[in-house]
Amino acid sequence: MADYFVEDPKYNEDIFRHRFRMSKRLFLKIVSDVEENDPWFVETPDARGRKGFTPLQKVTSAIKQLATGNTPDENDEYLHMAERTSRECLEYFCDTVCKIYGPEFLRRPTSHDMALLYQAHEEKHHLPGMFGSLDCTHFVWRFCPTEYRGQYMRGDHRYPTIMLEAVASQDLWFWHAFAGPPGSQNDINVLQQSPLFLTEQNGTAPKCPFYVNNHLYKRGYLLVDGIYPSWSVFVKSIPYPHEVNEKKFKRQHEAARKDVERAFGVLKGKWGVLSRPMRARSVKKIRNVVYTCIILHNMILKDDGKAIAPVHIRDPPVEPALDDTVLGELLNEDTHWRLKHDLIDHLASQDLPHLLADSDED
């Protein structure tokens, strides 16, 4: 309390943000919400009648483990908390954060969000209809059971890994996260089991059409790399461009698709538990840790005022109804190629000096 939470603390706001990755205002809000929604965080006497740990101590232990990735007993001298209690703090904290904040900070984009994403990405990347970039990353699983090692290992990784599929926008906000597939799979295998387009197939996705070169498209698209299939909702780069317009499109596409790579780098740099080998012994616990880090990452973006769509405005509720035609529209390669050519023509019609200079050098 004397270090951080009294009226005149020993460490100022900048040091607090460096150590806890967030502002003190947001930290205290999380402590209050967690204490209100989970009785485990309420201060109560133990079986011997002694005073238990306060919510501040429990949340401090959990966020310290997420931020540094160190062992649970690292802060036992500072918090006087046993290793088992610190481990329980992390598990209960992740469960409670996902339950409280998941519906807002791991939400699918609504029609209001899509409109703001369309506008922001067209201003930043000159690509109308884009609402994010899609990619996968790996997390090392240190205590992977021996019987699962073959399933979670791949030739280009020395250790068992767990994959995360995510969609990120230009502000590094995560709009989709699917964690848990074994590391032996590739991005296409993860896509086949991902709920990424579940809302489109059951009719609950928002209607967000857009125009490119006077052509109407029903739904926004994602920027992806070359391994993904040629679906109507994916826009891939051109591997070997020859014309100037194709070179402009390739450079702009690759520059814009770095949004998700930057998001992964910021996420792992901010939360050390993701960049170090995971010590949990079950996929469910690792999944909760990953989702908690993403939720806190999005909360910090909103708290700092850097989010493109910080306000969650819900769409009118729609009853799920399976539409057989939607899957064919998603997998339509003709729409994929027509959209790519329309984007190439759109970039060619705009005056972008940096792309023209790069193309001339080629």
Side-chain angles (χ1 to χ4, degrees):
M1 294 294 294
D3 288 343
Y4 299 109
F5 301 108
V6 295
E7 184 177 354
D8 186 18
K10 179 178 180 181
Y11 300 107
N12 58 22
E13 177 72 21
D14 294 336
I15 297 178
F16 184 93
R17 178 180 287 271
H18 172 72
R19 292 177 177 174
F20 292 90
R21 309 298 194 260
M22 64 185 71
S23 65
K24 189 184 299 184
R25 175 184 66 255
L26 179 58
F27 182 91
L28 294 177
K29 179 182 182 301
I30 293 175
V31 172
S32 176
D33 292 343
V34 166
E35 181 183 8
E36 181 180 352
N37 287 271
D38 192 340
W40 190 85
F41 287 92
V42 178
E43 181 181 357
T44 55
D46 59 13
R48 298 172 295 178
R50 295 184 179 181
K51 185 178 179 180
F53 292 106
T54 65
L56 278 174
Q57 287 175 297
K58 296 177 181 178
V59 176
T60 297
S61 174
I63 292 185
K64 278 282 190 180
Q65 293 178 64
L66 293 175
T68 63
N70 293 336
T71 56
D73 62 345
E74 180 199 23
N75 295 312
D76 57 352
E77 296 179 353
Y78 181 68
L79 297 173
H80 298 277
M81 186 179 294
E83 178 182 2
R84 177 179 175 179
T85 307
S86 297
R87 192 182 303 113
E88 290 179 350
C89 286
L90 179 62
E91 294 177 6
Y92 281 103
F93 179 77
C94 292
D95 291 337
T96 308
V97 165
C98 292
K99 180 179 65 176
I100 299 174
Y101 301 114
E104 178 181 356
F105 292 97
L106 265 184
R107 68 182 187 268
R108 298 293 181 92
T110 62
S111 57
H112 176 262
D113 299 330
M114 293 291 284
L116 295 178
L117 291 173
Y118 283 174
Q119 180 182 359
H121 287 147
E122 187 166 6
E123 292 176 358
K124 295 286 186 178
H125 302 314
H126 309 283
L127 295 173
M130 168 191 170
F131 77 90
S133 303
L134 172 68
D135 204 358
C136 294
T137 188
H138 292 255
F139 304 114
V140 177
W141 189 6
R142 180 179 180 181
F143 291 148
C144 176
T146 304
E147 61 268 24
Y148 294 155
R149 289 183 68 88
Q151 183 180 359
Y152 285 85
M153 287 194 67
R154 201 166 71 179
D156 55 344
H157 294 278
R158 296 179 57 189
Y159 306 101
T161 60
I162 289 180
M163 297 187 68
L164 166 68
E165 179 190 70
V167 172
S169 54
Q170 194 275 334
D171 59 346
L172 308 185
W173 185 289
F174 286 90
W175 293 103
H176 162 75
F178 174 57
S184 60
Q185 300 181 356
N186 59 22
D187 296 2
I188 300 179
N189 303 139
V190 177
L191 176 65
Q192 296 293 341
Q193 55 187 303
S194 168
L196 177 59
F197 297 111
L198 181 61
T199 55
E200 279 80 2
Q201 297 185 50
N202 62 21
T204 59
K207 309 298 182 183
C208 300
F210 66 96
Y211 284 90
V212 182
N213 286 355
N214 296 324
H215 290 161
L216 176 64
Y217 294 92
K218 289 185 177 181
R219 52 185 64 87
Y221 58 85
L222 296 166
L223 300 186
V224 296
D225 55 17
I227 191 176
Y228 283 92
S230 299
W231 292 1
S232 63
V233 287
F234 293 156
V235 171
K236 301 192 293 184
S237 180
I238 301 175
Y240 305 106
H242 299 288
E243 299 180 1
V244 174
N245 293 340
E246 294 178 350
K247 293 179 181 180
K248 289 175 60 176
F249 171 76
K250 177 181 174 64
R251 289 185 178 274
Q252 193 67 7
H253 178 282
E254 293 176 350
R257 208 190 66 80
K258 286 184 174 61
D259 292 343
V260 67
E261 304 290 354
R262 290 170 47 234
F264 286 149
V266 171
L267 184 70
K268 292 183 179 181
K270 183 181 298 182
W271 305 109
V273 68
L274 301 180
S275 60
R276 305 181 68 172
M278 298 281 189
R279 287 182 296 272
R281 296 186 180 273
S282 68
V283 177
K284 180 180 178 181
K285 292 181 180 179
I286 295 177
R287 186 184 294 115
N288 283 345
V289 169
V290 173
Y291 289 159
T292 300
C293 293
I294 293 176
I295 289 172
L296 295 177
H297 169 83
N298 289 346
M299 292 178 68
I300 293 170
L301 286 179
K302 178 180 178 179
D303 184 65
D304 294 342
K306 298 179 180 179
I308 293 176
V311 181
H312 184 198
I313 300 178
R314 300 177 183 271
D315 289 329
V318 178
E319 288 293 333
L322 184 62
D323 188 354
D324 297 334
T325 63
V326 173
L327 183 60
E329 294 175 357
L330 294 175
L331 307 182
N332 193 334
E333 294 190 9
D334 294 335
T335 306
H336 168 83
W337 293 109
R338 186 172 69 249
L339 174 59
K340 181 183 290 189
H341 288 296
D342 284 340
L343 291 174
I344 293 174
D345 295 338
H346 176 76
L347 287 176
S349 63
Q350 296 197 4
D351 184 16
L352 302 176
H354 63 287
L355 293 181
L356 287 173
D358 293 339
S359 299
D360 292 341
E361 290 177 3
D362 292 341

